[in-house]
Amino acid sequence: METKKVAIVGYNRIPFARMNTAYADKGNQDLLLPTLNGLINRYNLKGKLLGEVAGGATIKHISESNLIRETVMNTSLDPATPACDLQQACDTGIEAAVYIANKIALGQIESGIACGVEAMSNIPFESSPRLRKALLKANKEKSVFGKIKQLLSPKLKDWMPIPYKGQEPKTGLVMGGHTEITAKYYQISREDQDELAFRSHQNMAKAYDEGFFDDMITPAYGLDKDNNLRRDTSLEKLATLKPAFDKQNGTLTAGNSTPFTDGASAVLLASEEWAKANNLEILAYITFSEIAGIEYVENKQNLLLAPVFATERMLKKAGMNLQDFDYYEIHEAFAAQVLATLKIWENDDLAKKFGLEKALGKIDRNKLNVKGGSLAVAHPFAATGGRIIGTLAKLLHEKGSGKGFISICAARGQGVTMILEK
């Protein structure tokens, strides 16, 4: 069966905001709706019936089981446009793109939107098991007295909400705790981490000044720029920050780690025929993608290193070398995780420990995250994939030709890589 080429023809996002700032009172649908509406307006999609919209949020309320479909029905797309929710932690946005791309490649649909959103400011709290049982029993009681009796049964401490901690259930460690182990195990220095973070902010500030993001971002709720960007940061300022996870001997800080973030992004994908029929330029093509998992319970240092496996498999299928790309977009969950990945790619002994035949080699650091990365823009979990795809597609479109590499790590020891070509 002959497959169709999958084109990236549009992109939009709202500015990303640190948790409890500009979007403090907004939920997932509040953030996703202006993102989709901005995409619809920019690419004249009003009233159009698309093949499907897919995406999701890493953390949702119980009322959001059909988040994407509900949001689509509030846009000006043809209401018959189907939609589905996906969730794969920080890989959600890029996996949604893979899902839509595969359907286009197989001829099942001609167009679709991949999206992701995260409203960390409004994440749901857990309740204690005792309180939950009491509330359920109270709901079944018919008399007021019976309801009151059930509601009085929990202890005072049971009424205290349990906040989100982001721990890995298998290890009890938060992602930063795992990455602190990564930094020590792979001997990633504090200075190198701060240098990567500094460059990320510098590159993003320059991209804003050049107007690179002018046609890529829809202002929302009074915010027109990402508010995590620190134009005035310096290596000296970064060096003064205290460790965030290992308070005594750690190297991860608030400056070289991403904060909890609110935001949303969306990417419009299509067949070449649909793009031509709708007078849309092809920015780039998705040509290869790979997903991998990694064991991280025994080897706690490897939680965010699954892209090492995904990269090697994908390059073999594509018949390419790691050095064959014009741009590299590597998600900066933490500076240490990026630097550990690069070190494994460059070192034969480390590569062999991962089961690779040999090291994949060095990349040109001047081609890495040239418009800034997650350390500067911040990281709304499910929205990062769409942001990265859109940025890389525009870079290739402006260049007029070339190849781009994407790597995104995720919780639970998973990672996705992708190749875009123009």
Side-chain angles (χ1 to χ4, degrees), residues 132-418:
R132 180 177 178 275
K133 290 178 181 178
L135 292 172
L136 289 172
K137 288 179 179 179
N139 188 54
K140 293 179 180 179
E141 291 285 349
K142 295 182 179 180
S143 69
V144 174
F145 176 77
K147 291 180 184 295
I148 293 174
K149 181 181 178 181
Q150 293 299 337
L151 292 175
L152 291 175
S153 62
K155 297 178 181 179
L156 182 60
K157 66 177 182 179
D158 294 322
W159 287 89
M160 296 299 293
I162 303 170
Y164 172 79
K165 295 181 180 179
Q167 293 173 319
E168 291 288 335
K170 291 286 187 181
T171 64
L173 295 174
V174 296
M175 199 173 291
H178 271 279
T179 309
E180 190 66 75
I181 297 172
T182 301
K184 292 181 175 68
Y185 185 91
Y186 292 103
Q187 299 179 2
I188 307 300
S189 72
R190 166 74 181 269
E191 292 74 21
D192 286 347
Q193 293 175 58
D194 287 349
E195 171 64 34
L196 184 73
F198 177 59
R199 177 173 289 198
S200 186
H201 284 276
Q202 278 193 316
N203 286 350
M204 191 168 192
K206 184 179 179 182
Y208 263 113
D209 293 342
E210 294 170 344
F212 182 82
F213 299 116
D214 288 354
D215 62 348
M216 303 181 77
I217 297 177
T218 295
Y221 307 111
L223 192 64
D224 61 1
K225 290 182 175 63
D226 307 296
N227 72 9
N228 187 63
L229 175 63
R230 297 290 180 264
R231 288 179 174 273
D232 62 345
T233 195
S234 65
L235 289 173
E236 292 74 21
K237 287 182 178 180
L238 288 168
T240 65
L241 298 176
K242 295 180 179 180
F245 302 99
D246 179 348
K247 305 295 185 181
Q248 300 300 319
N249 302 302
T251 57
L252 272 70
T253 70
N256 57 41
S257 310
T258 52
F260 283 156
T261 314
D262 303 326
S265 67
V267 180
L268 178 63
L269 306 178
S271 65
E272 291 180 302
E273 296 80 7
W274 192 92
K276 184 177 181 180
N278 286 274
N279 299 312
L280 293 175
E281 285 188 292
I282 293 174
L283 306 178
Y285 295 96
I286 296 175
T287 55
F288 292 90
S289 183
E290 189 78 20
I291 185 169
I294 194 168
E295 196 287 318
Y296 66 92
V297 178
E298 294 296 325
N299 299 285
K300 293 179 176 60
Q301 72 276 4
N302 289 340
L303 174 71
L304 298 180
L305 300 183
V308 171
F309 293 133
T311 299
E312 194 250 359
R313 295 172 194 167
M314 182 179 70
L315 291 176
K316 279 186 176 180
K317 292 177 182 178
M320 296 181 189
N321 296 313
L322 187 58
Q323 293 71 38
D324 291 342
F325 298 93
D326 299 277
Y327 303 105
Y328 300 84
E329 287 286 330
I330 301 178
H331 166 45
E332 301 166 344
F334 303 88
Q337 146 261 322
V338 176
L339 294 168
T341 300
L342 295 176
K343 192 169 187 176
I344 294 162
W345 284 343
E346 296 169 3
N347 184 289
D348 276 326
D349 290 337
L350 290 177
K352 288 177 181 177
K353 286 183 179 180
F354 276 76
L356 278 61
E357 294 177 5
K358 61 179 181 178
L360 300 180
K362 293 185 178 182
I363 66 169
D364 184 345
R365 295 285 187 93
N366 292 318
K367 298 177 179 179
L368 173 63
N369 298 343
V370 297
K371 300 301 180 184
S374 297
L375 288 169
V377 67
H379 174 39
F381 301 137
T384 288
R387 175 190 68 79
I388 288 177
I389 291 172
T391 298
L392 184 54
K394 182 172 181 178
L395 282 168
L396 292 172
H397 182 60
E398 288 186 341
K399 186 176 183 295
S401 63
K403 298 180 177 67
F405 171 90
I406 294 172
S407 171
I408 301 178
C409 60
R412 309 298 187 271
Q414 298 190 96
V416 177
T417 55
M418 180 179 282

Side-chain angles (χ1 to χ4, degrees), residues 118-132:
E118 216 67 60
M120 290 299 293
S121 296
N122 276 279
I123 57 177
F125 287 100
E126 289 184 60
S127 59
S128 68
R130 190 193 300 267
L131 176 60
R132 180 177 178 275

